[in-house]
Amino acid sequence: MQNENLNPTEDIIICRDVHKWFGDFHVLRGVNVTIKRGEVVVVCGPSGGGKSTFIRTINRLEEHQRGDIIVDDIELTNDLRNIHAIQREIGMVFQSFNLFPHLKVIDNVSLAPIWVRKWSKKEAVKVAMELLERVGIPEQANKYPGQLSGGQQQRVAIARALAMQPKIMLFDEPTSALDPEMIKEVLDVMVELARSGMTMIVVTHEMGFAKEVANRIIFFSDGNIVEQNTTEEFFLNPREARTRMFLSQILTH
Amino acid sequence: MTVQPEILKPPPTEVGLLGWLKKNLFSTWSNTLLTFVSVPFIYLVLSAVITWVFQDARWEVVTTNFKVFMIGRYPRKEAWRVLASLGIVVLLVLLTWISQTVKRYPMARWLVIGWLLSFPLIGVLLRGFSSENPYLPLVSEEIWSGLMLTLVLAIVGIVASFPIGILLALGRRSKMPVIKALSTVYIETIRGVPLISVLFMSQVMLPLFLPPEIRLGTVVRALTGMTLFSAAYTAENVRGGLAAIPIGQYEAARAVGLNEALVMGLIVLPQALRAMIPAIVGQFISLFKDTTLVIIVGLLELLGIAKAVTGQKEFIGLHKEVYAFAAILFFIFCYLMSYASRRLEQALGVGER
């Protein structure tokens, strides 16, 4: 069931003619896209197409060289204040989890609220425990990341991103590094998050997840958006040949 | 019906003393051969050493000069100040050790303050004020010598070079070209010259950089040289550690909203430094032994004083005893540092998580 509480006039991410080069390689070629508040967008496409680079430019993990990116009415420029303000409002979940191995799970989750939002330790730990319960692993709070399974680590990563109460959540292939039996537990958390109204951009190959909660699907290839449509339309009537070929490749599983 | 297999004792050549001998000394033919060659050799060496230590050596040179080894030319009347300083350090070490085993973290803050305050406190205690002061008359650091001077040089050098080294490492990795260039030039220049030349240069050149009213003593100049030297090596150790941290850690830290300083201080440095403890402590142990080089600029630390003792009329020719004693002292301190390093690694879980 898709999110129905969309506020159609609230554009929370605007990308206009975004270009990026890695040296000579033109990885993003004039991307234009608008994401609305509360929308759940799935970005799919072949490897090397630029989809990961694209979402990483939104929270400045990569710097775009041309074009405008506006997040929640803040323009993403070289101004550190803008960059930090935007990074505070966006949570990100990585393919390789990237948990902090020297901190316990509870400290991983509560670190940023304490140091960035300046909450008291008590408050931060309370919120952290609530989030760990929400993702289903409160009993792991005092363990170190190395002692957890991949699915548990990724759920901690989601909790850590949510602890900063972001307006937008970015997911960069969150289940690609997981063993198949752990993919479901992470996707379940993401489905619940989507249903609660969070604005999400998810780079993934999990089309089942897309069919369940995505409002829109973007097919990204060769540095730009090839096709985007509502979930239903995207799967039923893919317009472009490249889209059809991609779908035939991944939907034969 | 299941048959319970008989529970037997292991054969006598596998356990106990015989078992140990067989496994460690006689396990293969080559090992057995090595055992037969080395055992008599070890016996010969050990018996020679033990005979010398307990019968032939004249340890009076060490026992009568013990104070000289320890505090050199420090006035004997004021020797209590050295003992007091030692007492402060021992107390702090004990408290630190207790807080680690008992794990009372509120104490940690006070301990850090205690350690930080101990430096100026001991400095004042040892140096004193003007000559007229009745309680702490001046004992210029130029007179400090012996093991006391070694420890002062080593400890101040280690403690001062560590933060400078970290800053240099961060500077070398900085994206700002001027800072990066300055840090790189500094590190590569210092690493390209021997410590002796750095000591010489600090003796001669430091006064040139400062206004003529400030006259730095030899000890301060030597300390500056040692600190600047060690900082360059520490910087490279730290830089290696930083480079080993996966870039995903930086990204995750920035993605969660931490600014550059917090990313470094909370996420990257704690992981990097923990992995670098063996290398960094190795550098500190080197520095401790390198303090012997200050004899070049006229300071008499432990080894310098030992040399002076061998020149005494009553004990001419007793080099072996004097230098053996100095060697034992160096060994004790270096081993302690090595041991502390291993305990620290254990406590921080180096190599585990």
Side-chain angles (χ1 to χ4, degrees):
Chain A
M1 207 181 84
Q2 269 60 1
N3 267 343
E4 283 165 359
N5 30 328
L6 286 183
N7 187 340
T9 57
E10 285 257 25
D11 294 339
I12 200 169
I13 300 179
I14 303 173
C15 296
R16 280 194 288 256
D17 194 37
V18 172
H19 289 261
K20 179 172 175 61
W21 286 264
F22 279 132
D24 270 342
F25 177 52
H26 197 179
V27 57
L28 293 178
R29 307 176 188 179
V31 181
N32 286 291
V33 75
T34 307
I35 314 279
K36 301 200 187 308
R37 202 177 291 268
E39 220 186 330
V40 176
V41 176
V42 163
V43 180
C44 61
S47 292
K51 44 190 204 303
S52 285
T53 311
F54 170 61
I55 67 166
R56 285 157 61 92
T57 53
I58 296 177
N59 72 344
R60 199 50 155 208
L61 287 182
E62 303 286 354
E63 192 179 323
H64 62 286
Q65 276 110 12
R66 193 193 292 177
D68 307 308
I69 299 181
I70 301 168
V71 176
D72 200 23
D73 293 328
I74 306 171
E75 193 180 340
L76 187 55
T77 61
N78 283 326
D79 189 341
L80 278 181
R81 281 169 306 179
N82 287 22
I83 294 177
H84 287 141
I86 289 177
Q87 281 176 338
R88 279 196 291 272
E89 299 312 319
I90 302 184
M92 182 149 184
V93 177
F94 299 86
Q95 182 174 350
S96 48
F97 330 137
N98 291 337
L99 292 179
F100 307 134
H102 60 299
L103 299 174
K104 293 195 188 139
V105 161
I106 189 78
D107 295 319
N108 259 275
V109 179
S110 57
L111 180 84
I114 292 176
W115 287 92
V116 183
R117 301 255 189 239
K118 313 267 193 239
W119 293 355
S120 71
K121 180 145 189 192
K122 238 174 83 164
E123 244 182 292
V125 169
K126 181 162 149 314
V127 169
M129 282 306 296
E130 282 167 19
L131 284 169
L132 286 176
E133 279 198 47
R134 184 174 172 186
V135 303
I137 39 172
E139 72 283 357
Q140 310 289 347
N142 282 312
K143 291 206 185 149
Y144 286 92
Q147 297 167 292
L148 268 53
S149 74
Q152 291 169 327
Q153 288 190 48
Q154 193 62 299
R155 286 187 277 162
V156 172
I158 296 176
R160 178 179 64 175
L162 290 174
M164 285 291 284
Q165 298 176 331
K167 301 200 174 89
I168 305 165
M169 285 285 280
L170 302 176
F171 292 82
D172 188 359
E173 307 216 29
T175 56
S176 296
L178 294 175
D179 290 334
E181 62 266 20
M182 293 192 262
I183 293 181
K184 180 179 184 310
E185 65 195 51
V186 174
L187 287 180
D188 285 343
V189 170
M190 290 166 64
V191 165
E192 186 264 319
L193 190 58
R195 297 216 171 108
S196 72
M198 174 66 78
T199 312
M200 291 164 65
I201 308 179
V202 185
V203 174
T204 186
H205 301 293
E206 297 289 329
M207 290 303 146
F209 168 78
K211 282 185 187 157
E212 199 172 339
V213 286
N215 296 109
R216 182 178 8 156
I217 307 204
I218 295 179
F219 177 60
F220 214 97
S221 179
D222 300 315
N224 211 334
I225 297 176
V226 172
E227 182 173 342
Q228 57 177 311
N229 218 330
T230 62
T231 317
E232 224 186 297
E233 279 300 306
F234 185 85
F235 286 110
L236 288 179
N237 302 319
R239 290 193 289 259
E240 301 288 326
R242 275 185 289 174
T243 320
R244 284 197 290 270
M245 189 167 77
F246 179 73
L247 283 176
S248 72
Q249 283 167 338
I250 65 170
L251 289 179
T252 43
H253 275 264
Chain B
M1 184 177 103
T2 49
V3 177
Q4 208 59 325
E6 226 186 301
I7 299 181
L8 300 169
K9 279 203 162 48
T13 47
E14 293 299 316
V15 288
L17 181 61
L18 279 176
W20 185 90
L21 284 175
K22 180 174 169 193
K23 205 166 82 150
N24 289 294
L25 298 179
F26 300 105
S27 50
T28 66
W29 283 111
S30 50
N31 276 350
T32 312
L33 192 62
L34 273 174
T35 305
F36 279 123
V37 166
S38 46
V39 164
F41 177 72
I42 294 176
Y43 173 76
L44 283 173
V45 170
L46 268 185
S47 60
V49 168
I50 293 180
T51 335
W52 179 78
V53 166
F54 288 104
Q55 288 185 311
D56 302 325
R58 293 194 26 222
W59 291 110
E60 311 85 74
V61 63
V62 169
T63 46
T64 43
N65 284 306
F66 191 74
K67 271 217 174 89
V68 177
F69 281 113
M70 292 297 126
I71 59 178
R73 294 173 299 169
Y74 205 90
R76 296 298 180 261
K77 252 181 30 171
E78 311 294 329
W80 66 268
R81 288 149 70 172
V82 180
L83 281 174
S85 309
L86 192 63
I88 295 177
V89 170
V90 167
L91 181 67
L92 282 172
V93 167
L94 237 97
L95 286 176
T96 313
W97 184 77
I98 290 178
S99 84
Q100 280 306 306
T101 18
V102 173
K103 293 233 182 283
R104 301 251 322 272
Y105 286 118
M107 242 166 112
R109 187 165 302 177
W110 292 109
L111 270 178
V112 171
I113 298 181
W115 277 109
L116 284 174
L117 281 181
S118 68
F119 278 86
L121 185 64
I122 292 180
V124 164
L125 193 58
L126 288 175
R127 191 167 187 278
F129 305 100
S130 67
S131 321
E132 294 87 51
N133 189 306
Y135 299 110
L136 293 174
L138 179 70
V139 180
S140 158
E141 61 267 14
E142 308 301 302
I143 310 182
W144 298 1
S145 34
L147 181 61
M148 183 188 115
L149 181 62
T150 302
L151 287 175
V152 166
L153 288 172
I155 293 176
V156 176
I158 288 172
V159 167
S161 69
F162 191 54
I164 299 178
I166 295 181
L167 286 175
L168 279 171
L170 294 176
R172 190 162 184 175
R173 283 166 57 96
S174 165
K175 294 197 191 67
M176 292 184 269
V178 173
I179 296 188
K180 181 172 177 153
L182 283 175
S183 307
T184 310
V185 164
Y186 175 93
I187 293 175
E188 293 305 326
T189 313
I190 297 274
R191 293 206 322 160
V193 296
L195 176 55
I196 283 194
S197 54
V198 173
L199 284 175
F200 268 139
M201 289 208 295
S202 64
Q203 282 294 116
V204 167
M205 290 178 62
L206 219 48
L208 295 177
F209 286 110
L210 297 168
E213 302 87 60
I214 303 183
R215 285 174 51 237
L216 294 173
T218 321
V219 172
V220 174
R221 280 180 276 180
L223 257 181
T224 314
M226 305 212 69
T227 305
L228 294 178
F229 185 79
S230 185
Y233 287 83
T234 305
E236 284 300 278
N237 283 332
V238 171
R239 191 173 69 90
L242 290 175
I245 302 296
I247 193 166
Q249 291 290 301
Y250 292 90
E251 291 183 349
R254 287 181 50 208
V256 97
L258 298 172
N259 64 27
E260 288 297 328
L262 289 177
V263 169
M264 268 301 149
L266 294 176
I267 307 299
V268 177
L269 277 179
Q271 291 183 60
L273 288 177
R274 173 188 310 180
M276 284 285 106
I277 288 175
I280 292 181
V281 174
Q283 170 61 23
F284 292 165
I285 292 177
S286 272
L287 182 62
F288 184 85
K289 292 182 287 179
D290 285 342
T291 56
T292 50
L293 288 173
V294 297
I295 197 168
I296 287 290
V297 293
L299 293 172
L300 294 176
E301 42 65 63
L302 178 61
L303 217 48
I305 280 281
K307 191 163 192 298
V309 165
T310 58
Q312 286 175 343
K313 290 200 299 290
E314 314 87 68
F315 300 116
I316 287 251
L318 293 183
H319 308 95
K320 288 206 285 275
E321 290 83 346
V322 169
Y323 288 125
F325 178 64
I328 291 173
L329 282 179
F330 272 108
F331 177 77
I332 290 176
F333 281 99
C334 292
Y335 186 79
L336 278 176
M337 283 196 268
S338 196
Y339 175 74
S341 163
R342 281 200 300 277
R343 288 297 306 272
L344 191 59
E345 289 170 44
Q346 252 182 355
L348 295 178
V350 172
E352 287 167 36
R353 46 168 202 264

